[in-house]
C-alpha cells in the first residue's frame, strides 16, 4: 500500500489555492487500497504572532472544510496535529539531525523572518525550526507520498534529507517520502499580485478567493483581477503575462482543460474573467453547501477528529519509539 500524509496550517481562512493545490489532491488520493492521513497542523500556526481563540476557530473550520471537500473518515484518518504527542516527540530527534544552515536556507523562513523584522516583531525560534516539525509530521507515519502545493516542495525535500541522514547514522528507521504536486494550479497566485501566491495570511484579501466566499464576492474578485499591460490578446506566458497565466491556470484546474489551449479560445480579458469566475463558483458550490451542513453539527466533526487522533497515534507511536531506540535513548 502507498501511505499518503499531508496537512494545512490554520493560519488563516482556507483559499482556492489550498483547495486546488492540496485538498483536492487529498480527496483524489483516497484509494481503497491506500492508507491516507490528513492533518490540521495547528502547532505550525504558533510560529508567528497569533490570536489563540482564532487559531482554535480556524482549526475547527479547516477540519470541517476537509470533510466538506470530500474526505471520508471511513477511508482516511483525519486529525489535529496537537492531539498526537508523537509529532513533538519526534521533532526534537530531527532537530538533533538537522543543521542550522539548511534551516536558514528555507525560502519561507527567509521571507517570513524578513516580514516579522520589518514590522518590528521578533523572529520566533519556532519559525526557524518548524520545517523540522513538518518533517516529523510526515516521517512519524511512514508516508510514501506527500501531496503539497509547489511552495511546500522544498520542505518535503528537507524531510527526505533528514530521513536519509537519520537512517545512515542510526540504522534504517524512516521511509523516505516524495512530494506529489498537481499538474496545473500547483501554485495559485494572488489575483491582485500574480507574482505572489494566494496565501491564507495575506494582509489584503482583495486578491484571495476564500473557500467560503459568497458567489458574488468570488465573481467581484475575479473580475477585478490584475491582468497584464500590452497588446497581443490572451496568451499563456507565466513569465511575461503572469496575471493572465494565473487566470488560465485556475480555469484549467476547474474545468480539466489545458492552459495553453484555453488561451486560444479568448481574444479579450473580459470573457476569460467571466468564465473563470463562473467555473470557480460552480467548483466551490457543493463544498460550501456541505460545509453548512457540517457546521450545524459540530459534535460530529469533533467525533471524527477524536477518532482520527486515536488511529494516528496508533500508527505513529511504534515509528517514534523505534527512532528513540535507534538514536540511543533508553526505553521507559
Amino acid at each position: 500500500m502507498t501511505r499518503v500524509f499531508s496537512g494545512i496550517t490554520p493560519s488563516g481562512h482556507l483559499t482556492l489555492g489550498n483547495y486546488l493545490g492540496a485538498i483536492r489532491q487529498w480527496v483524489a488520493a483516497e484509494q481503497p487500497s491506500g492508507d491516507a492521513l490528513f492533518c490540521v497542523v495547528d502547532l505550525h500556526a504558533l510560529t508567528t504572532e497569533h490570536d489563540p481563540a482564532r487559531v482554535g476557530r480556524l482549526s475547527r473550520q479547516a477540519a470541517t472544510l476537509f470533510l466538506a471537500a470530500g474526505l471520508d473518515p471511513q477511508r482516511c484518518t483525519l486529525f489535529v496535529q496537537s492531539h498526537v504527542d508523537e509529532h513533538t516527540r519526534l521533532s526534537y530527534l530531527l532537530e538533533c539531525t538537522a543543521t542550522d544552515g539548511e534551516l536558514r536556507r528555507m525560502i519561507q523562513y527567509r521571507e517570513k523572518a524578513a516580514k516579522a523584522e520589518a514590522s518590528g516583531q521578533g523572529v520566533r525560534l519556532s519559525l526557524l525550526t518548524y520545517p523540522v516539525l513538518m518533517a516529523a509530521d510526515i516521517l512519524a507515519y511512514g508516508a510514501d507520498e506527500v501531496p503539497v502545493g509547489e511552495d511546500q516542495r522544498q520542505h518535503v525535500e528537507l524531510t527526505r534529507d533528514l530521513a536519509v541522514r537519520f537512517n545512515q547514522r542510526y540504522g534504517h528507521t524512516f521511509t523516505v517520502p516524495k512530494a506529489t504536486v498537481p499538474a496545473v494550479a500547483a501554485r495559485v497566485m494572488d489575483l491582485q499580485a500574480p507574482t505572489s501566491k494566494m496565501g491564507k495570511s495575506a494582509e489584503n484579501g482583495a486578491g484571495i478567493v476564500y473557500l467560503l466566499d459568497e458567489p458574488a464576492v468570488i465573481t467581484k474578485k475575479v473580475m477585478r483581477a490584475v491582468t497584464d499591460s500590452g497588446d497581443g490578446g490572451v496568451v499563456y506566458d507565466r513569465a511575461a503575462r503572469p496575471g493572465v497565466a494565473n487566470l488560465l491556470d485556475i480555469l484549467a484546474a476547474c474545468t480539466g482543460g489545458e492552459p495553453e489551449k484555453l488561451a486560444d479560445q479568448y481574444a479579450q480579458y473580459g470573457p476569460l474573467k467571466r468564465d473563470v469566475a463562473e467555473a470557480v463558483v460552480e467548483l466551490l458550490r457543493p463544498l460550501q453547501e456541505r460545509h453548512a451542513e457540517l457546521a450545524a453539527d459540530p459534535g460530529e466533526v469533533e467525533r471524527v477528529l477524536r477518532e482520527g487522533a486515536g488511529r494516528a497515534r496508533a500508527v505513529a507511536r511504534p515509528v517514534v519509539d523505534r527512532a528513540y531506540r535507534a538514536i540511543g535513548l533508553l526505553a521507559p
Side-chain angles (χ1 to χ4, degrees):
M1 292 190 298
T2 297
R3 178 168 291 169
V4 174
F5 174 91
S6 197
I8 288 180
T9 305
S11 56
H13 295 286
L14 298 188
T15 72
L16 179 67
N18 295 129
Y19 181 70
L20 295 179
I23 300 172
R24 190 167 68 168
Q25 285 193 86
W26 298 359
V27 176
E30 280 191 278
Q31 301 296 328
S33 60
D35 189 359
L37 301 100
F38 302 110
C39 183
V40 180
V41 283
D42 54 343
L43 295 175
H44 293 300
L46 311 184
T47 59
T48 56
E49 288 294 327
H50 64 277
D51 175 1
R54 185 170 185 264
V55 170
R57 290 195 302 271
L58 291 176
S59 295
R60 185 175 292 105
Q61 183 186 86
T64 306
L65 283 167
F66 293 170
L67 293 170
L71 290 178
D72 183 350
Q74 300 302 315
R75 298 175 58 196
C76 71
T77 298
L78 176 61
F79 65 104
V80 175
Q81 177 191 31
S82 62
H83 294 176
V84 181
D85 293 343
E86 278 63 33
H87 292 252
T88 50
R89 287 182 62 207
L90 181 56
S91 182
Y92 182 73
L93 299 193
L94 296 179
E95 285 186 14
C96 296
T97 307
T99 67
D100 177 78
E102 62 190 344
L103 294 183
R104 292 187 186 278
R105 287 193 294 272
M106 294 289 105
I107 294 172
Q108 287 205 17
Y109 169 73
R110 298 203 303 269
E111 292 177 348
K112 292 181 179 180
K115 182 178 180 181
E117 290 175 344
S119 63
Q121 301 174 2
V123 180
R124 299 186 182 189
L125 179 61
S126 57
L127 184 62
L128 176 66
T129 60
Y130 96 88
V132 176
L133 177 57
M134 179 176 171
D137 299 337
I138 297 165
L139 297 180
Y141 298 99
D144 301 290
E145 296 181 359
V146 187
V148 292
E150 183 64 41
D151 61 313
Q152 292 295 325
R153 185 191 291 272
Q154 186 183 34
H155 289 159
V156 180
E157 290 303 315
L158 174 67
T159 301
R160 290 172 54 84
D161 292 342
L162 294 180
V164 169
R165 190 178 306 157
F166 193 100
N167 290 346
Q168 290 174 341
R169 289 179 179 175
Y170 308 115
H172 184 75
T173 305
F174 299 121
T175 300
V176 180
K178 67 177 181 179
T180 56
V181 179
V184 294
R187 193 177 190 189
V188 177
M189 312 307 281
D190 190 296
L191 296 175
Q192 291 298 314
T195 58
S196 301
K197 76 168 185 175
M198 187 180 285
K200 299 187 297 295
S201 55
E203 295 179 0
N204 182 5
I208 303 170
V209 175
Y210 297 106
L211 295 186
L212 296 180
D213 275 346
E214 294 287 340
V217 173
I218 294 173
T219 299
K220 181 179 180 179
K221 288 179 178 180
V222 174
M223 294 305 294
R224 292 185 175 181
V226 170
T227 48
D228 310 295
S229 60
D231 299 325
V234 177
V235 178
Y236 184 75
D237 186 333
R238 288 183 176 179
R241 313 285 288 279
V244 174
N246 188 40
L247 292 172
L248 290 166
D249 278 335
I250 293 171
L251 183 59
C254 292
T255 63
E258 298 179 16
E260 295 86 351
K261 293 182 179 179
L262 288 170
D264 295 336
Q265 301 176 20
Y266 299 94
Q268 296 178 319
Y269 296 148
L272 170 62
K273 289 182 175 182
R274 284 194 293 273
D275 285 354
V276 171
E278 181 179 343
V280 172
V281 167
E282 291 307 311
L283 180 74
L284 297 183
R285 189 184 304 281
L287 179 148
Q288 293 181 351
E289 292 173 351
R290 179 58 176 151
H291 175 271
E293 295 172 0
L294 290 165
D297 186 10
E300 174 62 13
V301 177
E302 292 173 4
R303 182 193 66 78
V304 168
L305 295 176
R306 185 168 54 251
E307 293 183 358
R311 293 200 300 271
R313 199 175 297 116
V315 174
R317 182 163 295 168
V319 178
V320 178
D321 286 348
R322 185 166 66 246
Y324 268 58
R325 291 193 300 270
I327 207 169
L329 300 177
L330 294 177

